[in-house]
């Protein structure tokens, strides 16, 4: 209850700052919270908005699936095989710090315009953090679990499915949280520069036509959805970590 | 897999091992045998660390054997090598007449010092874990798990998660998980090391009961001399690293016994004899100068 109240105060402060910025910068740059909310309601009532919305979130779904499955597989293999892990870790970390936007032209050349480029660009944002988190999770599993598995005659497959993955799940959810926000970022960037559909395109299009309220309304709605998904994952994350502690 | 824990125990009792097995003697059947076992680790600075041996040891079927020694002397290494969790650098290990070659043979159960209960499973799922992976049929799993839960006094905690249990309770879960696999040789690596003194005494009694009930051979690694003196048929004393067995002490306790034997006169005598043997080794292991009396 107390936490809910705090969140409410935080939201109110954000809106106040927004209103202040609006007064400072004027209609030409920042629409007021009231106007934005009004425009958001209009958007929510229009079928074309929902088309763009679906486009973005299905791209996010595919990209996230690739990032999570790919990242987990890479992380599991590297975490279980010590030597490959030691070789790959610095490579992964430097890839992680590489600004992925520089790869965008390459992605466009490979995948062309449209859905597949967005998915690919989202996935390359998410896959590395998921891999790094998974590897870390597997490497910190207590050695006594591996010994127990050997005494209980577990096969390699049973070891991974019934010990390694369950033991790593709390950390995997943390990785998924980071992976989710970065994948969304990747998809939106993809839509902003070479796309005819999606919420990223809607934002760029609104900027092009100097339609500030629409631009801000899209950003607002996008932020609301992202915050809700993030909060859900955070809740799951805390619960899982709590159970282990 | 047929037969509950009880049937198994009865079958093993029926096999009739010597009541007071004599190691290496003609009377007792040799259950596990280590010959010239040595373990050398590669050291951090390119050198090598001689951790264990050479060790020669025969465990008679059904005996309760303990190993005591100063910390870091290679007790746990001895257990790992015997269990097949790590391969010896030299020497041979036989379990039930077959070579143990870096793989844990079926029939050996291990209880570790660290908490090995899985936090994502309830108590009963933890205990059933090994049986389910082995493909044992559900009715048989239920039967054995219920028996082990009753035996280890975990009835009220079936559905609890390990995080809700005390350290002693979690160790009971691990012992129960080992028990349901019906091991013929149970190795325990300082299983009560993290528990308080009273809990340790009670767990010792449980362990004796389990040993009698199952007829299994038990090897207990411990640093507590009184624990070894109280529980064992026979106690091996280990030197400072590289660990070698420097003495072999028989307690001559009856098979029916519990922690109350601590009141016996010979209990004190055994404990002080162990300490007499270990004092110098402990001084060496601690790296103190001017050892011995």
């Amino acid at each position: 209850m107390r936490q809910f109240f705090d969140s409410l105060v935080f939201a109110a402060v954000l809106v106040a700052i927004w209103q202040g910025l609006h007064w400072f910068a004027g209609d030409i740059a920042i629409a007021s919270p009231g106007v934005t909310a009004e425009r958001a309601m209009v958007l929510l009532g229009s079928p074309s908005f929902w088309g763009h919305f679906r486009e973005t979130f299905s791209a996010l779904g595919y990209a996230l699936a690739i990032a999570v499955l790919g990242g987990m597989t890479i992380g599991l293999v590297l975490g279980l095989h010590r030597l490959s892990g030691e070789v790959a870790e610095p490579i992964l970390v430097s890839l992680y710090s590489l600004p992925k936007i520089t790869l965008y032209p390459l992605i466009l050349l490979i995948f062309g315009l449209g859905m597949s480029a967005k998915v690919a660009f989202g996935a390359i944002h998410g896959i590395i953090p998921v891999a790094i988190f998974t590897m870390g999770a597997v490497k910190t599993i207590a050695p006594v679990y591996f010994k127990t598995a050997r005494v209980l005659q577990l096969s390699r497959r049973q070891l991974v499915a019934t010990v390694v993955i369950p033991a790593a799940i709390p950390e995997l959810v943390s990785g998924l949280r980071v992976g989710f926000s970065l994948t969304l970022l990747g998809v939106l960037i993809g839509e902003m520069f070479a796309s005819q559909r999606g919420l990223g395109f809607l934002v760029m299009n609104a900027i092009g036509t100097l339609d500030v309220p629409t631009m801000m309304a899209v950003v607002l709605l996008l932020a609301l959805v992202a915050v809700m998904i993030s909060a859900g994952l955070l809740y799951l994350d805390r619960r899982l970590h709590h159970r282990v502690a | 897999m047929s037969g509950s824990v009880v049937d198994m125990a009865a079958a093993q009792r029926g096999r009739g091992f010597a009541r007071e097995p004599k190691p290496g003697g003609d009377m007792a059947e040799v259950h596990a045998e280590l010959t010239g076992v040595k373990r050398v680790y590669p050291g951090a600075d390119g050198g090598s660390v001689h951790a264990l041996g050479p060790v020669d040891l025969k465990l008679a079927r059904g005996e309760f054997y303990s190993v005591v020694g100063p910390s870091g002397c290679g007790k746990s290494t001895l257990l790992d090598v015997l269990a097949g969790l790590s391969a010896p650098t030299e020497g041979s290990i036989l379990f039930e007449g077959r070579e143990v070659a870096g793989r844990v043979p079926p029939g050996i159960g291990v209880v570790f010092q660290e908490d090995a209960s899985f936090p994502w499973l309830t108590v009963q799922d933890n205990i059933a874990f090994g049986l389910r992976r082995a493909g044992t049929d559900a009715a048989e799993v239920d039967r054995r798990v219920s028996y082990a839960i009753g035996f280890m006094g975990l009835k009220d905690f079936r559905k609890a998660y390990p995080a809700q249990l005390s350290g002693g309770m979690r160790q009971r879960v691990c012992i129960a998980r080992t028990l349901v696999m019906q091991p013929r040789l149970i190795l325990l690596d300082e299983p009560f090391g993290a528990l308080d003194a009273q809990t340790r005494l009670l767990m010792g009694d449980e362990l004796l009961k389990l040993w009698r009930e199952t007829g299994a051979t038990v090897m207990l690694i411990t640093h507590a001399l009184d624990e070894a003196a109280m529980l064992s048929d026979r106690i091996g004393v280990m030197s400072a690293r590289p660990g070698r067995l420097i003495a072999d002490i028989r307690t001559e306790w009856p098979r029916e016994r519990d922690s109350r034997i601590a009141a016996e006169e010979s209990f004190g005598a055994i404990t002080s004899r162990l300490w007499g043997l270990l004092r110098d080794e402990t001084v060496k292991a601690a790296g103190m100068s001017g050892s011995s009396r």
Side-chain angles (χ1 to χ4, degrees):
Chain A
M1 197 59 220
R2 155 105 220 211
Q3 214 178 1
F4 179 73
F5 181 73
D6 287 350
S7 313
L8 222 58
V9 170
F10 181 64
V13 169
L14 280 185
V15 172
I17 292 172
W18 181 357
Q19 183 69 48
L21 282 172
H22 164 68
W23 283 327
F24 175 75
D27 279 327
I28 194 94
I30 297 175
S32 73
V35 171
T36 306
E38 221 172 282
R39 184 61 58 93
M41 293 312 286
V42 173
L43 282 178
L44 287 177
S46 89
S48 84
F49 170 79
W50 287 108
H52 291 295
F53 184 90
R54 256 198 307 282
E55 171 85 7
T56 296
F57 280 88
S58 56
L60 176 66
Y62 290 128
L64 207 54
I66 293 171
V68 168
L69 290 178
M72 266 180 61
T73 309
I74 295 171
L76 277 175
V77 170
L78 296 181
L80 287 173
H81 194 267
R82 235 181 85 191
L83 179 66
S84 352
E86 276 166 15
V87 173
E89 189 164 8
I91 301 174
L92 279 181
V93 170
S94 46
L95 277 178
Y96 184 49
S97 48
L98 171 82
K100 256 74 68 186
I101 190 79
T102 52
L103 297 177
Y104 194 47
L106 211 62
I107 297 279
L108 280 184
L109 288 174
I110 297 171
F111 294 97
L113 301 180
M115 189 66 147
S116 45
K118 283 192 256 187
V119 170
F121 201 55
I124 62 166
H125 273 81
I127 196 165
I128 294 169
V130 172
I132 291 175
F133 266 88
T134 309
M135 183 169 69
V138 172
K139 275 163 75 177
T140 52
I141 293 175
V144 73
Y145 291 173
F146 290 100
K147 283 189 176 183
T148 301
R150 288 177 63 191
V151 172
L152 294 175
Q153 315 282 336
L154 263 61
S155 68
R156 191 97 187 141
R157 246 189 63 209
Q158 288 177 323
L159 171 72
V160 172
T162 62
V163 178
V164 173
I165 290 179
I169 272 189
E171 285 303 305
L172 290 184
V173 173
S174 305
L176 185 63
R177 229 155 45 78
V178 177
F180 162 75
S181 33
L182 287 172
T183 307
L184 179 59
L185 176 78
V187 169
L188 288 172
I189 293 174
E191 286 178 343
M192 283 174 131
F193 296 113
S195 180
Q196 296 301 313
R197 300 186 51 73
L199 297 178
F201 160 75
L202 222 51
V203 170
M204 286 314 268
N205 196 44
I207 292 176
T209 56
L210 285 177
D211 183 357
V212 177
T214 300
M215 180 199 85
M216 298 216 30
V218 173
V219 172
L220 177 68
L221 293 171
L222 199 56
L224 286 178
V225 174
V227 165
M228 278 193 304
I229 295 176
S230 251
L233 287 171
L234 186 63
Y235 172 74
L236 197 64
D237 194 348
R238 291 218 177 121
R239 260 189 60 147
L240 288 168
H241 274 101
H242 181 73
R243 198 184 68 192
V244 174
Chain B
M1 296 225 175
S2 68
S4 68
V5 179
V6 193
D7 299 341
M8 183 77 186
Q12 286 189 334
R13 267 199 294 274
R15 216 173 286 153
F17 44 79
R19 203 176 151 76
E20 299 243 312
K22 292 200 167 45
D26 303 316
M27 298 290 287
E29 181 193 347
V30 175
H31 199 184
E33 181 171 8
L34 290 82
T35 316
V37 168
K38 249 172 132 177
R39 180 85 167 101
V40 181
Y41 292 106
D45 47 2
S48 58
V49 181
H50 186 177
L52 178 73
V55 168
D56 295 290
L57 174 65
K58 281 180 184 157
L59 296 179
R61 191 182 280 277
E63 81 171 316
F64 196 128
Y65 179 75
S66 293
V67 181
V68 294
S71 48
C73 73
K75 300 188 293 276
S76 296
T77 307
L78 175 67
L79 180 139
D80 276 6
V81 170
L82 174 52
L85 286 166
S86 60
T89 315
E90 262 176 50
S92 86
I93 301 148
L94 295 176
F95 170 64
E96 297 179 343
R98 254 176 250 137
E99 189 78 29
V100 175
R103 190 169 177 279
V104 187
I108 291 186
V110 184
V111 178
F112 299 98
Q113 178 178 15
E114 306 94 320
D115 175 18
S117 62
F118 297 137
W120 60 90
L121 296 176
T122 59
V123 165
Q124 57 183 3
D125 288 339
N126 257 292
I127 296 172
F129 182 86
L131 290 174
R132 291 197 177 132
R133 299 296 89 76
T136 311
D137 71 71
E140 177 66 15
V141 173
D142 281 352
R143 218 169 50 233
R144 289 201 210 172
V145 169
S146 298
Y147 177 81
I149 282 175
F151 190 87
M152 296 309 298
L154 291 164
K155 270 209 175 69
D156 299 335
F157 305 100
R158 285 172 167 273
K159 298 249 159 68
Y161 285 93
Q164 298 162 265
L165 304 180
S166 66
M169 281 295 178
R170 284 187 220 175
Q171 200 55 287
R172 279 164 195 260
V173 173
C174 294
I175 293 173
R177 184 169 65 191
T178 304
L179 180 66
V180 294
M181 302 305 286
Q182 301 178 340
R184 298 179 294 279
L185 171 61
I186 304 176
L187 308 175
L188 303 108
D189 189 1
E190 303 198 18
F192 314 137
L195 309 180
D196 63 81
Q198 290 90 319
T199 311
R200 258 178 42 201
L201 282 174
L202 287 179
M203 294 290 279
D205 282 345
E206 306 266 356
L207 186 56
L208 281 172
K209 212 171 89 190
L210 183 155
W211 167 66
R212 273 196 304 272
E213 190 95 354
T214 61
T217 309
V218 169
M219 184 173 98
L220 171 72
I221 304 282
T222 179
H223 60 255
L225 304 183
D226 53 343
E227 199 170 272
M230 179 184 112
L231 299 172
S232 322
D233 292 324
R234 189 159 66 100
I235 303 160
V237 179
M238 233 183 189
S239 67
R241 203 165 69 194
R244 283 160 294 110
L245 290 165
I246 54 172
D248 192 80
I249 295 172
R250 305 190 52 81
T251 60
E252 311 291 348
W253 298 131
R255 192 166 169 85
E256 296 289 333
R257 58 179 182 252
D258 61 32
S259 53
R260 281 171 297 186
I261 55 169
E264 303 253 334
E265 220 173 296
S266 52
F267 172 81
I270 293 165
T271 313
S272 50
R273 199 169 149 215
L274 287 174
W275 178 235
L277 288 159
L278 266 176
R279 192 182 171 280
D280 285 356
E281 297 301 327
T282 310
V283 170
K284 260 189 252 167
M288 295 179 209
S289 58
S291 69
S292 87
R293 291 143 277 199

